[in-house]
Amino acid sequence: MSKILLVEDDKDVISVVRDWLAMEQHLVDVVEDGKTALEQLAISEYDLVILDWGLPLLSGIEVLQQYRGRGGSTPILMLTGKGEVQEKAAGLDHGADDYLTKPFHMLELSARLRALLRRASGQTSNVLKIGALELDHDTHYVVHAGEQVVLPPREFALLEFLMRHPNQVFSAEALLERVWHSEADIAPETVRACVKRLRKKLSMEADNSMIQTLHGVGYRLSAPQ
Ligand code: CA
């Protein structure tokens, strides 16, 4: 599961892409013009941005230039109209990671997104392995110490996020922002409860867990020493 910003002003495209990505368990925020896109990118962290070329207020290429200009490094997939070969080249020159020409099939968009997310996380496959823990994003399969563990979507998403960022510490607020919807009305307590359930299902004792609590700081997943 990833957090994706969709910047698109075509209602039909928005509806199809949003529904599809939601079905694939991604969290999707939608903004419909270039100016709002830059504002949204300044206040929220995303794993990936889908950016349309033709947008009101600021064009996709202007958004791209300004975002990269201020150091934004989130992978960006640009959507371009038919046959805009020159625009594609310009987009890639200005720091787009990939592009897709409209109309496109959602299966193709999914495949491109997966490749970009893999590249961004430095993973070569969608199977993550840390210590005795193994998680397969595509099949939703988790194995710990040789035993299959069945996790509901939110716990799976939290585990996947921590496994994609091993040894990094995240506050409860940061996890809410990245794993839960930013606008959702939930408290840091939700994260604590989710971590607790996850540890229990993975048969990890709190003081000997791969998911560590750093009191007053946050959570971290590390391989056992
Ligand atoms: Ca457009």
Side-chain angles (χ1 to χ4, degrees):
M1 189 209 70
S2 299
K3 194 169 167 187
I4 295 172
L5 179 65
L6 172 62
V7 189
E8 171 63 87
D9 59 326
D10 181 323
K11 304 275 185 210
D12 294 335
V13 176
I14 291 172
S15 148
V16 172
V17 172
R18 181 166 51 196
D19 290 355
W20 182 280
L21 295 178
M23 189 191 78
E24 292 201 326
Q25 311 288 335
H26 296 300
L27 295 177
V28 186
D29 286 342
V30 179
V31 294
E32 300 185 24
D33 69 77
K35 193 166 165 288
T36 312
L38 279 175
E39 287 164 6
Q40 190 62 28
L41 284 166
I43 57 171
S44 258
E45 278 281 321
Y46 291 93
D47 297 305
L48 195 134
V49 181
I50 302 171
L51 180 61
D52 186 32
W53 190 280
L55 291 167
L57 302 182
L58 282 177
S59 71
I61 194 81
E62 288 172 304
V63 172
L64 180 64
Q65 277 175 311
Q66 290 192 30
Y67 177 65
R68 290 287 188 244
R70 70 190 189 203
S73 59
T74 300
I76 294 180
L77 173 83
M78 289 213 69
L79 302 179
T80 64
K82 213 173 180 178
E84 293 164 325
V85 179
Q86 300 224 311
E87 296 195 343
K88 283 173 198 164
L92 293 171
D93 281 350
H94 286 102
D97 296 274
D98 199 0
Y99 62 84
L100 199 53
T101 304
K102 294 179 183 176
F104 50 84
H105 196 286
M106 283 310 301
L107 285 173
E108 169 144 38
L109 179 67
S110 291
R112 300 288 187 95
L113 296 183
R114 272 201 304 277
L116 284 177
L117 290 165
R118 267 205 302 272
R119 225 192 287 161
S121 66
Q123 299 284 343
T124 51
S125 90
N126 268 344
V127 179
L128 306 170
K129 279 183 199 171
I130 296 178
L133 195 54
E134 190 173 325
L135 176 147
D136 186 330
H137 173 87
D138 295 334
T139 60
H140 223 262
Y141 203 78
V142 176
V143 174
H144 180 243
E147 300 278 333
Q148 192 196 348
V149 184
V150 178
L151 297 176
R154 190 65 67 185
E155 289 162 36
F156 184 90
L158 177 62
L159 183 63
E160 178 176 358
F161 179 80
L162 291 172
M163 288 181 77
R164 285 195 188 276
H165 304 87
N167 304 316
Q168 290 180 45
V169 182
F170 296 94
S171 67
E173 289 78 10
L175 291 172
L176 282 178
E177 163 80 12
R178 301 293 298 271
V179 181
W180 281 260
H181 245 311
S182 35
E183 67 267 28
D185 184 21
I186 38 173
E189 176 60 26
T190 310
V191 176
R192 206 177 72 85
C194 192
V195 167
K196 202 172 163 186
R197 288 196 303 274
L198 204 46
R199 280 197 189 121
K200 194 169 174 203
K201 286 179 188 164
L202 296 171
S203 308
M204 295 171 171
E205 299 301 326
D207 56 355
N208 184 29
S209 174
M210 286 175 70
I211 304 170
Q212 296 137 6
T213 305
L214 288 87
H215 289 288
V217 185
Y219 301 93
R220 171 176 68 194
L221 187 144
S222 315
Q225 298 302 310

